[in-house]
Amino acid sequence: SDYIIFAQEDIQLGQKVNITGGFRAHNNSQYGWHFTPQVSAMYTIWHFAFRGNFGMGYKTPSMKEKYMSFKIPAPGPPMYLVGYEDLEPETSQYSSLSMEYTRSGVSFSVSAFHNDISKMISENLDEFSVKPGGILEYAYRNYDHVTVRGIDILLKTKVVRNLLFTGSVSFSKKYDQVENKIFDNVRNFSGKFNADYRMNKGVYGLNLNLQGNLYGKKSLNLMDDVTHQTSTVKLDPFSLWKFTSTHTFHSNYFVKVGVDNIFDFRDKSGGYNSGTPGRTLFVGLGVNL
């Protein structure tokens, strides 16, 4: 069982400075009490807001991470991710700095963060054991000291009347300080883009939407189900784009036409990178009741 006590105070210093501080006390029946303070400050001037945050985190292992068995949906030999009963709680120290610019029709922000994690709970996808029937079994584990650093960038703007663009990119590095190596089984880059156009004229309404998702490279360590030889599969960066047009009549009847995976991306890794079958065209009819 868990018991949580928390308190927070918000302090406004003049019109430009705001400070928020608080703490959380977490009691777990198995691991006892743990105290985590947090503080953030914001300074605003003109159309800019500058923020700084510092906080300590605490996470106890979940039932899934300790006891459950999950089949990994991937091609090749059967693979399972199983819990580890002797997991310990993880603790962390998180800090970030950000700048935000907001004006009519435009919102832009840049945020840099640094997170030091002790006893981090995560899947160990670099090591596995072979069970009867050729089953590969991965497990959760504690990593003694992991550092995660990154930058997030977000832009939201009205390009022209009725056309809204939103884009975000994230860069990060996850580093094992004990093993002195970077985690290469996670993507260090990702991006999302969305352009949305809306127009209404009489009984007709039009919505055009373009979505894009970008994914950075990563690696997987796999074993051949016949030879039991271990190899590294390097997954290249890729992107998926989707266009949808929705035509509405009298506010109740609509026709939806679009194409998914516009550039017909085909996964050369054999399905480990993305499960998309290639370019897909779709048409839909509907009634709003």
Side-chain angles (χ1 to χ4, degrees):
S1 61
D2 290 271
Y3 299 94
I4 298 174
I5 301 172
F6 63 91
Q8 179 175 303
E9 180 66 26
D10 194 300
I11 302 173
Q12 186 71 39
L13 301 177
Q15 296 182 344
K16 296 183 177 181
V17 178
N18 177 265
I19 300 174
T20 302
F23 73 89
R24 187 179 79 159
H26 183 177
N27 178 263
N28 180 273
S29 58
Q30 183 174 354
Y31 303 107
W33 285 96
H34 199 90
F35 179 80
T36 52
Q38 298 183 24
V39 63
S40 66
M42 179 178 69
Y43 174 73
T44 57
I45 182 172
W46 196 45
H47 298 286
F48 291 92
F50 299 90
R51 302 175 187 269
N53 298 278
F54 175 79
M56 299 178 69
Y58 178 71
K59 176 182 179 294
T60 57
S62 66
M63 294 290 289
K64 174 185 176 182
E65 293 162 341
K66 294 187 69 172
Y67 302 113
M68 290 185 66
S69 177
F70 171 75
K71 186 175 182 180
I72 301 173
M79 294 182 288
Y80 283 82
L81 176 64
V82 300
Y84 178 54
E85 188 173 351
D86 294 328
L87 285 174
E88 300 178 45
E90 71 174 44
T91 59
S92 62
Q93 293 186 358
Y94 177 87
S95 58
S96 69
L97 293 172
S98 67
M99 181 278 293
E100 302 170 19
Y101 173 82
T102 305
R103 201 171 183 177
S104 178
V106 178
S107 177
F108 175 74
S109 67
V110 179
S111 176
F113 64 88
H114 179 102
N115 197 12
D116 277 322
I117 310 172
S118 297
K119 301 294 183 182
M120 186 189 76
I121 301 170
S122 184
E123 307 95 334
N124 181 12
L125 299 180
D126 291 326
E127 300 177 0
F128 52 82
S129 57
V130 181
K131 300 299 181 180
I135 295 174
L136 308 185
E137 190 174 271
Y138 298 84
Y140 286 92
R141 62 164 284 190
N142 286 114
Y143 290 85
D144 288 336
H145 186 194
V146 173
T147 298
V148 183
R149 303 185 184 96
I151 297 176
D152 297 324
I153 303 172
L154 172 66
L155 172 64
K156 184 176 182 180
T157 181
K158 184 179 291 185
V159 181
V160 295
R161 183 182 178 184
N162 299 334
L163 177 58
L164 180 66
F165 171 82
T166 303
S168 64
V169 292
S170 297
F171 304 88
S172 65
K173 288 288 185 181
K174 190 176 181 181
Y175 195 80
D176 189 329
Q177 300 284 7
V178 176
E179 298 290 336
N180 195 31
K181 67 176 184 179
I182 295 175
F183 285 78
D184 57 3
N185 58 7
V186 295
R187 301 188 190 275
N188 295 324
F189 168 79
S190 64
K192 291 185 177 182
F193 300 92
N194 186 87
D196 193 83
Y197 176 79
R198 296 179 182 273
M199 183 272 291
N200 291 285
K201 191 173 183 179
V203 298
Y204 174 70
L206 173 66
N207 176 225
L208 303 177
N209 182 264
L210 177 66
Q211 298 178 14
N213 290 279
L214 283 65
Y215 304 90
K217 64 182 180 180
K218 65 180 290 187
S219 298
L220 291 177
N221 293 324
L222 300 173
M223 175 183 284
D224 187 273
D225 56 343
V226 177
T227 66
H228 288 180
Q229 294 295 313
T230 303
S231 62
T232 299
V233 177
K234 294 187 178 296
L235 306 183
D236 295 328
F238 71 100
S239 64
L240 297 174
W241 295 84
K242 179 180 180 181
F243 174 75
T244 305
S245 66
T246 304
H247 310 264
T248 306
F249 304 90
H250 296 281
S251 301
N252 292 323
Y253 309 96
F254 67 87
V255 178
K256 186 173 292 187
V257 181
V259 54
D260 200 358
N261 193 1
I262 295 173
F263 301 106
D264 198 25
F265 169 76
R266 302 297 180 108
D267 192 356
K268 298 178 181 179
S269 71
Y272 293 102
N273 214 344
S274 169
T276 176
R279 184 185 297 117
T280 304
L281 303 175
F282 59 89
V283 178
L285 302 174
V287 178
N288 293 318
L289 300 177

PDB file of all heavy atoms in Angstrom, residues 52-67:
ATOM      1  N   GLY A  52      12.856  28.211 -14.460  1.00  0.00           N
ATOM      2  CA  GLY A  52      13.848  27.296 -13.925  1.00  0.00           C
ATOM      3  C   GLY A  52      13.175  26.337 -12.969  1.00  0.00           C
ATOM      4  O   GLY A  52      12.298  26.741 -12.188  1.00  0.00           O
ATOM      5  N   ASN A  53      13.542  25.062 -13.031  1.00  0.00           N
ATOM      6  CA  ASN A  53      12.914  24.052 -12.183  1.00  0.00           C
ATOM      7  C   ASN A  53      13.970  23.142 -11.574  1.00  0.00           C
ATOM      8  O   ASN A  53      14.976  22.817 -12.216  1.00  0.00           O
ATOM      9  CB  ASN A  53      11.949  23.186 -13.006  1.00  0.00           C
ATOM     10  CG  ASN A  53      10.809  23.962 -13.612  1.00  0.00           C
ATOM     11  OD1 ASN A  53       9.813  24.243 -12.958  1.00  0.00           O
ATOM     12  ND2 ASN A  53      10.951  24.303 -14.886  1.00  0.00           N
ATOM     13  N   PHE A  54      13.726  22.741 -10.340  1.00  0.00           N
ATOM     14  CA  PHE A  54      14.547  21.715  -9.707  1.00  0.00           C
ATOM     15  C   PHE A  54      13.632  20.838  -8.862  1.00  0.00           C
ATOM     16  O   PHE A  54      12.750  21.336  -8.145  1.00  0.00           O
ATOM     17  CB  PHE A  54      15.639  22.306  -8.811  1.00  0.00           C
ATOM     18  CG  PHE A  54      16.408  21.236  -8.068  1.00  0.00           C
ATOM     19  CD1 PHE A  54      17.409  20.513  -8.698  1.00  0.00           C
ATOM     20  CD2 PHE A  54      16.093  20.938  -6.743  1.00  0.00           C
ATOM     21  CE1 PHE A  54      18.097  19.510  -8.028  1.00  0.00           C
ATOM     22  CE2 PHE A  54      16.780  19.942  -6.058  1.00  0.00           C
ATOM     23  CZ  PHE A  54      17.786  19.225  -6.706  1.00  0.00           C
ATOM     24  N   GLY A  55      13.832  19.543  -8.974  1.00  0.00           N
ATOM     25  CA  GLY A  55      13.010  18.643  -8.186  1.00  0.00           C
ATOM     26  C   GLY A  55      13.701  17.318  -7.961  1.00  0.00           C
ATOM     27  O   GLY A  55      14.587  16.913  -8.731  1.00  0.00           O
ATOM     28  N   MET A  56      13.300  16.639  -6.907  1.00  0.00           N
ATOM     29  CA  MET A  56      13.790  15.296  -6.612  1.00  0.00           C
ATOM     30  C   MET A  56      12.644  14.321  -6.822  1.00  0.00           C
ATOM     31  O   MET A  56      11.488  14.618  -6.474  1.00  0.00           O
ATOM     32  CB  MET A  56      14.321  15.221  -5.187  1.00  0.00           C
ATOM     33  CG  MET A  56      15.486  16.167  -4.922  1.00  0.00           C
ATOM     34  SD  MET A  56      16.082  16.123  -3.206  1.00  0.00           S
ATOM     35  CE  MET A  56      16.800  14.483  -3.160  1.00  0.00           C
ATOM     36  N   GLY A  57      12.941  13.198  -7.444  1.00  0.00           N
ATOM     37  CA  GLY A  57      11.910  12.223  -7.754  1.00  0.00           C
ATOM     38  C   GLY A  57      12.119  10.907  -7.022  1.00  0.00           C
ATOM     39  O   GLY A  57      13.222  10.591  -6.568  1.00  0.00           O
ATOM     40  N   TYR A  58      11.054  10.144  -6.948  1.00  0.00           N
ATOM     41  CA  TYR A  58      11.098   8.846  -6.276  1.00  0.00           C
ATOM     42  C   TYR A  58      10.057   7.945  -6.921  1.00  0.00           C
ATOM     43  O   TYR A  58       8.919   8.362  -7.164  1.00  0.00           O
ATOM     44  CB  TYR A  58      10.788   9.018  -4.786  1.00  0.00           C
ATOM     45  CG  TYR A  58      10.748   7.730  -3.995  1.00  0.00           C
ATOM     46  CD1 TYR A  58      11.912   7.020  -3.727  1.00  0.00           C
ATOM     47  CD2 TYR A  58       9.550   7.236  -3.496  1.00  0.00           C
ATOM     48  CE1 TYR A  58      11.887   5.841  -2.993  1.00  0.00           C
ATOM     49  CE2 TYR A  58       9.501   6.065  -2.751  1.00  0.00           C
ATOM     50  CZ  TYR A  58      10.675   5.370  -2.511  1.00  0.00           C
ATOM     51  OH  TYR A  58      10.639   4.208  -1.773  1.00  0.00           O
ATOM     52  N   LYS A  59      10.433   6.706  -7.248  1.00  0.00           N
ATOM     53  CA  LYS A  59       9.523   5.776  -7.917  1.00  0.00           C
ATOM     54  C   LYS A  59       9.752   4.370  -7.390  1.00  0.00           C
ATOM     55  O   LYS A  59      10.880   3.869  -7.419  1.00  0.00           O
ATOM     56  CB  LYS A  59       9.750   5.815  -9.431  1.00  0.00           C
ATOM     57  CG  LYS A  59       8.910   4.817 -10.231  1.00  0.00           C
ATOM     58  CD  LYS A  59       9.237   4.913 -11.701  1.00  0.00           C
ATOM     59  CE  LYS A  59       8.449   3.925 -12.533  1.00  0.00           C
ATOM     60  NZ  LYS A  59       8.804   2.517 -12.246  1.00  0.00           N
ATOM     61  N   THR A  60       8.684   3.763  -6.899  1.00  0.00           N
ATOM     62  CA  THR A  60       8.772   2.377  -6.452  1.00  0.00           C
ATOM     63  C   THR A  60       8.448   1.452  -7.629  1.00  0.00           C
ATOM     64  O   THR A  60       7.727   1.831  -8.552  1.00  0.00           O
ATOM     65  CB  THR A  60       7.796   2.091  -5.300  1.00  0.00           C
ATOM     66  OG1 THR A  60       6.468   2.404  -5.722  1.00  0.00           O
ATOM     67  CG2 THR A  60       8.151   2.933  -4.087  1.00  0.00           C
ATOM     68  N   PRO A  61       8.969   0.231  -7.635  1.00  0.00           N
ATOM     69  CA  PRO A  61       8.673  -0.703  -8.733  1.00  0.00           C
ATOM     70  C   PRO A  61       7.175  -1.019  -8.804  1.00  0.00           C
ATOM     71  O   PRO A  61       6.517  -1.183  -7.772  1.00  0.00           O
ATOM     72  CB  PRO A  61       9.477  -1.953  -8.374  1.00  0.00           C
ATOM     73  CG  PRO A  61      10.510  -1.492  -7.395  1.00  0.00           C
ATOM     74  CD  PRO A  61       9.897  -0.356  -6.651  1.00  0.00           C
ATOM     75  N   SER A  62       6.651  -1.107 -10.019  1.00  0.00           N
ATOM     76  CA  SER A  62       5.243  -1.446 -10.198  1.00  0.00           C
ATOM     77  C   SER A  62       5.072  -2.968 -10.198  1.00  0.00           C
ATOM     78  O   SER A  62       6.035  -3.735 -10.278  1.00  0.00           O
ATOM     79  CB  SER A  62       4.725  -0.863 -11.508  1.00  0.00           C
ATOM     80  OG  SER A  62       5.368  -1.499 -12.614  1.00  0.00           O
ATOM     81  N   MET A  63       3.818  -3.395 -10.133  1.00  0.00           N
ATOM     82  CA  MET A  63       3.526  -4.826 -10.190  1.00  0.00           C
ATOM     83  C   MET A  63       4.012  -5.417 -11.511  1.00  0.00           C
ATOM     84  O   MET A  63       4.546  -6.532 -11.544  1.00  0.00           O
ATOM     85  CB  MET A  63       2.015  -5.041 -10.034  1.00  0.00           C
ATOM     86  CG  MET A  63       1.470  -4.653  -8.680  1.00  0.00           C
ATOM     87  SD  MET A  63       2.011  -5.777  -7.369  1.00  0.00           S
ATOM     88  CE  MET A  63       1.057  -7.231  -7.784  1.00  0.00           C
ATOM     89  N   LYS A  64       3.841  -4.683 -12.603  1.00  0.00           N
ATOM     90  CA  LYS A  64       4.290  -5.151 -13.909  1.00  0.00           C
ATOM     91  C   LYS A  64       5.796  -5.354 -13.924  1.00  0.00           C
ATOM     92  O   LYS A  64       6.302  -6.362 -14.435  1.00  0.00           O
ATOM     93  CB  LYS A  64       3.885  -4.144 -14.980  1.00  0.00           C
ATOM     94  CG  LYS A  64       4.435  -4.454 -16.363  1.00  0.00           C
ATOM     95  CD  LYS A  64       4.093  -3.355 -17.350  1.00  0.00           C
ATOM     96  CE  LYS A  64       4.736  -3.614 -18.705  1.00  0.00           C
ATOM     97  NZ  LYS A  64       4.449  -2.532 -19.672  1.00  0.00           N
ATOM     98  N   GLU A  65       6.544  -4.380 -13.355  1.00  0.00           N
ATOM     99  CA  GLU A  65       8.003  -4.439 -13.383  1.00  0.00           C
ATOM    100  C   GLU A  65       8.555  -5.530 -12.476  1.00  0.00           C
ATOM    101  O   GLU A  65       9.681  -5.989 -12.673  1.00  0.00           O
ATOM    102  CB  GLU A  65       8.577  -3.077 -12.992  1.00  0.00           C
ATOM    103  CG  GLU A  65       8.291  -1.997 -14.025  1.00  0.00           C
ATOM    104  CD  GLU A  65       8.469  -0.605 -13.473  1.00  0.00           C
ATOM    105  OE1 GLU A  65       8.459  -0.425 -12.235  1.00  0.00           O
ATOM    106  OE2 GLU A  65       8.588   0.330 -14.278  1.00  0.00           O
ATOM    107  N   LYS A  66       7.773  -5.971 -11.504  1.00  0.00           N
ATOM    108  CA  LYS A  66       8.254  -6.988 -10.575  1.00  0.00           C
ATOM    109  C   LYS A  66       7.772  -8.399 -10.910  1.00  0.00           C
ATOM    110  O   LYS A  66       8.505  -9.372 -10.690  1.00  0.00           O
ATOM    111  CB  LYS A  66       7.825  -6.635  -9.152  1.00  0.00           C
ATOM    112  CG  LYS A  66       8.477  -5.370  -8.602  1.00  0.00           C
ATOM    113  CD  LYS A  66       8.144  -5.158  -7.141  1.00  0.00           C
ATOM    114  CE  LYS A  66       8.803  -6.184  -6.254  1.00  0.00           C
ATOM    115  NZ  LYS A  66       8.641  -5.884  -4.812  1.00  0.00           N
ATOM    116  N   TYR A  67       6.544  -8.516 -11.436  1.00  0.00           N
ATOM    117  CA  TYR A  67       5.970  -9.855 -11.506  1.00  0.00           C
ATOM    118  C   TYR A  67       5.420 -10.269 -12.869  1.00  0.00           C
ATOM    119  O   TYR A  67       5.320 -11.465 -13.144  1.00  0.00           O
ATOM    120  CB  TYR A  67       4.822  -9.971 -10.486  1.00  0.00           C
ATOM    121  CG  TYR A  67       5.253  -9.692  -9.069  1.00  0.00           C
ATOM    122  CD1 TYR A  67       4.791  -8.567  -8.392  1.00  0.00           C
ATOM    123  CD2 TYR A  67       6.116 -10.549  -8.393  1.00  0.00           C
ATOM    124  CE1 TYR A  67       5.175  -8.291  -7.090  1.00  0.00           C
ATOM    125  CE2 TYR A  67       6.506 -10.292  -7.085  1.00  0.00           C
ATOM    126  CZ  TYR A  67       6.034  -9.161  -6.440  1.00  0.00           C
ATOM    127  OH  TYR A  67       6.431  -8.899  -5.159  1.00  0.00           O
TER     128      TYR A  67
END
